[in-house]
Amino acid sequence: MVRHFLDIHRLDAADLRAILDDAHARKRARKGWPQGRADADAPGKDRVLAMIFEKNSTRTRFSFDAAIRQLGGDSIIATAADMQLGRGEPVEDTARVLSRMVDAVMIRANDHEDVERFARVSTVPVVNGLTDRSHPCQILADLMTIEEHRGPIEGKTIAWIGDGNNVCHSFMHAAPKFGFHLHVACPAEYHPDLRDLEKGGAHVHLTSDPREAVKGADVVVTDTWVSMGDQDYEARLAAFEPYGVDEALMAEAADDAVFLHCLPAHRGEEVTDAVIDGPQSLIWDEAENRLHAQKAVLAWCFGAF
Ligand code: CP
Ligand code: NVA
């Protein structure tokens, strides 16, 4: 069976835990090394990762490129617009061709279904690098960051404040797999997709009250109010106005609560400068951990553990 990494709810809890453990171990093992040196075990040696981007990216693009190099492999990057995909070549035909040329494919797509279609015919592992529906790689980096600073994720409470978007969906998928509690505070008109909410089961509590969500939480997370592809900018800004994360809201969380944001951030909208640049914020470790977590994802896809 080809090991795709499409969504957190599709993987076994044991595999997910192994991926997170591998990410921690890889980060520790190369502390102080130059970024271009390969890990000692080089599980991506002789492997090529293709990356296809239909949307903009800084972190995902650079972290996957650095990741495959540190695993001992190489990369090919293209935007969908530069490919025949952008002129209407079917996703399935693209998948069949790339399967003959590379060892894994990471895709950032507008439509989640396109990644599913690609994976259905791909004979090499496919990794979801964000879709309109989910962003599973981001959540692994976030959980890794929490564990680095606050210990095991199991039993912790995470408060998601703002849009019930792709990143929120992946947090909901992860909650039962890793055994944490997730409090989601969204305006009613921008709640998460109910199919994704269902996957979180009893681990997820949905409310429209940000104060209720952060009460006693170990982690407070937010994201942009206007994701790539969203059109209704003005309506969103109005609806999300009570959902900004500021110092007053952080004060309702646990005393040692940490703040996360996948970035890019819109300071003054979903979060104030004082919080995102303040002592509780772990955003730079979180961004770095995209690299370590994705190395573990790729190593798992290649069957290294
Ligand atoms: N967090 C994240 O995925 O960032 P990019 O859009 O820059 O890849
Ligand atoms: N929710 C955001 C995440 C960006 C990394 C978006 O989809 O634009």
Side-chain angles (χ1 to χ4, degrees), residues 56-61 108 130 135 138 228 262-264 290:
N56 295 50
S57 171
T58 297
R59 279 143 289 267
T60 304
R61 178 178 174 146
R108 170 166 285 196
L130 180 148
H135 196 4
Q138 182 66 52
M228 293 180 278
C262 65
L263 304 177
R290 294 292 306 279

Side-chain angles (χ1 to χ4, degrees), residues 3 14 16 24 45 58 70 72 102 104 113 117 137 150 154-155 158 170 201 221 223 226 245 259 282:
R3 283 185 167 182
L16 290 162
H24 284 298
K45 189 173 177 330
T58 297
Q70 290 186 6
V102 302
E113 183 53 25
R117 285 171 57 199
C137 293
R150 291 292 180 271
E154 193 173 353
I158 301 178
S170 288
V221 199
D223 185 15
V226 187
V245 177
F259 173 78
L282 301 179

Side-chain angles (χ1 to χ4, degrees), residues 51-57 61 76-87 108:
M51 287 185 254
I52 304 172
F53 287 93
E54 274 189 348
K55 307 191 198 211
N56 295 50
S57 171
R61 178 178 174 146
I76 302 172
I77 306 180
T79 63
D82 290 334
M83 298 171 62
Q84 298 291 9
L85 199 55
R87 293 181 58 243
R108 170 166 285 196

Side-chain angles (χ1 to χ4, degrees), residues 265-285:
H266 302 78
R267 289 170 164 80
E269 291 184 10
E270 73 271 11
V271 61
T272 59
D273 285 329
V275 171
I276 198 165
D277 299 324
Q280 291 167 285
S281 175
L282 301 179
I283 57 165
W284 307 125
D285 286 344

Side-chain angles (χ1 to χ4, degrees), residues 164-234:
N165 65 10
N166 45 5
V167 181
C168 175
H169 290 161
S170 288
F171 263 118
M172 296 193 302
H173 301 162
K177 297 286 183 182
F178 287 95
F180 62 85
H181 310 284
L182 183 66
H183 297 171
V184 177
C186 303
E189 60 274 44
Y190 294 108
H191 65 67
D193 189 308
L194 297 180
R195 294 167 298 176
D196 295 283
L197 181 64
E198 205 171 275
K199 293 193 171 70
H203 287 260
V204 182
H205 169 68
L206 182 63
T207 172
S208 56
D209 180 1
R211 291 189 182 283
E212 181 191 330
V214 299
K215 198 121 209 96
D218 303 295
V219 184
V220 178
V221 199
T222 190
D223 185 15
T224 180
W225 293 338
V226 187
S227 284
M228 293 180 278
D230 287 338
Q231 306 293 341
D232 49 344
Y233 182 77
E234 296 300 333

Side-chain angles (χ1 to χ4, degrees), residues 293-304:
Q294 286 153 200
K295 285 170 67 181
V297 168
L298 292 173
W300 175 80
C301 288
F302 295 146

